[in-house]
Amino acid sequence: MSIPIEAPKIPQQLEQLKEPLYSLQAKDEFSRAKIQQFTIDRQEAQRVSFEKTIFEKVDIIESHLAEIELTDVIFDQCDLSNIPFPHSFVHRTEFRQCKLIGTDFAQSRLQNVRFIDCVADYSVFRFSNFKNVSFEHCSLIGADYCSSTFKSVMFDHCQLDTAMMSGTSLQEVDLSTCDFTNLQIEIEDLRGCIISPYQASSFVGLMGLVIKS
C-alpha cells in the first residue's frame, strides 16, 4: 500500500550553519541551511522555524523546542531522543535513520512526513493530526498515538508491539506487514483496519472471545 507524500523541496545551494544555534531565541527563523555534525545543547525556545534545511548527524540534547515549525526539512542520522516538540507543525519533512526514542510530538500537526529506518520507541504523538504520513521500517515499540487523527497514514514493516492507539481510528490503515503481539487499543478503533491472518489472534481478547486449544 502506498500513499501520496510530497517530498521536501530542498534547493541545491545551502548555507552551512552553526553559530546561531548556540543561542536559539523564540521565533527564530532559519532557511536554506545545512547543519552537519553538530550538537544543539541546552536550548529552550518556542516557535523556532526551519525551512528548506538539512540536518545531518545532528544531536539535540537537554533542549525544549515547543511549537517548532519544520517545512521542507530532512533529518539524516540525527539523535532527537527525549526532546519535547509539542504543538509543532511538520510539513514535507523526512526523518532518515534517526533516533527518536521518547521524542514528544504531542498535539502536533504532521503532513507529508516520512519516517524511514528510525528507532522511535516510546515516542509520543498523542492528540496529533496526521495527513499523508508514513512510517517505514521503524521501531515504534510503546509509541503513543492515543486520540490522534489519521488520514492516509502508512505503517510499513514496523515494530509496533505495545504501541498505544486508543481513541484513534485505524480505518483503512494497513498494519499487515508490521510485527506486534499486543496493541493498546479499543475494539471500535479497529473498524476497517487491514491486518494479516496471523495478527487476528492479537485482538481476540478485545472481542471477549476465548481460544480453546
Side-chain angles (χ1 to χ4, degrees):
M1 178 180 177
S2 61
I3 57 176
I5 298 179
E6 294 183 46
K9 300 177 181 179
I10 307 291
Q12 290 187 344
Q13 298 298 320
L14 299 174
E15 177 188 1
Q16 291 285 345
L17 186 65
K18 285 189 177 180
E19 292 299 325
L21 301 176
Y22 286 115
S23 56
L24 290 174
Q25 304 295 320
K27 299 183 180 180
D28 275 351
E29 298 182 356
F30 302 94
S31 181
R32 296 173 177 265
K34 187 167 188 178
I35 305 160
Q36 291 178 294
Q37 298 182 330
F38 186 76
T39 298
I40 299 174
D41 187 9
R42 296 179 176 86
Q43 298 298 307
E44 183 170 352
Q46 290 185 312
R47 300 187 68 181
V48 176
S49 70
F50 292 93
E51 180 184 18
K52 302 184 187 304
T53 296
I54 294 177
F55 292 83
E56 184 177 308
K57 297 183 179 178
V58 172
D59 296 341
I60 303 180
I61 60 175
E62 297 185 26
S63 298
H64 192 287
L65 300 173
E67 300 180 78
I68 195 170
E69 297 182 7
L70 305 171
T71 303
D72 296 315
V73 174
I74 294 173
F75 290 90
D76 187 5
Q77 303 176 71
C78 297
D79 189 346
L80 315 178
S81 296
N82 298 311
I83 300 301
F85 296 109
H87 304 278
S88 295
F89 174 71
V90 187
H91 181 42
R92 285 198 304 268
T93 294
E94 293 184 359
F95 297 86
R96 304 172 180 172
Q97 295 182 299
C98 291
K99 288 183 66 176
L100 302 166
I101 300 171
T103 305
D104 186 355
F105 281 102
Q107 301 183 69
S108 294
R109 181 183 172 193
L110 297 90
Q111 184 170 339
N112 293 302
V113 180
R114 296 180 70 195
F115 296 85
I116 307 164
D117 295 316
C118 292
V119 178
D121 299 338
Y122 309 106
S123 51
V124 179
F125 295 94
R126 61 169 48 209
F127 299 105
S128 292
N129 189 304
F130 294 77
K131 182 178 180 181
N132 298 343
V133 177
S134 70
F135 295 87
E136 305 165 33
H137 299 269
C138 293
S139 182
L140 301 166
I141 295 169
D144 185 350
Y145 298 92
C146 289
S147 301
S148 293
T149 301
F150 284 178
K151 183 175 181 180
S152 295
V153 174
M154 180 179 73
F155 293 91
D156 181 22
H157 291 89
C158 293
Q159 297 283 339
L160 276 171
D161 204 35
T162 69
M164 295 176 279
M165 296 184 171
S166 295
T168 300
S169 172
L170 298 185
Q171 179 79 31
E172 298 182 354
V173 176
D174 189 346
L175 302 181
S176 64
T177 64
C178 296
D179 185 17
F180 58 87
T181 57
N182 178 46
L183 292 181
Q184 297 186 33
I185 195 167
E186 304 298 329
I187 189 65
E188 57 268 23
D189 301 324
L190 286 168
R191 186 181 299 274
C193 180
I194 303 167
I195 60 175
S196 68
Y198 86 90
Q199 291 170 335
S201 61
S202 300
F203 304 113
V204 167
L206 292 176
M207 296 181 284
L209 299 176
V210 177
I211 298 177
K212 183 177 180 179
S213 60

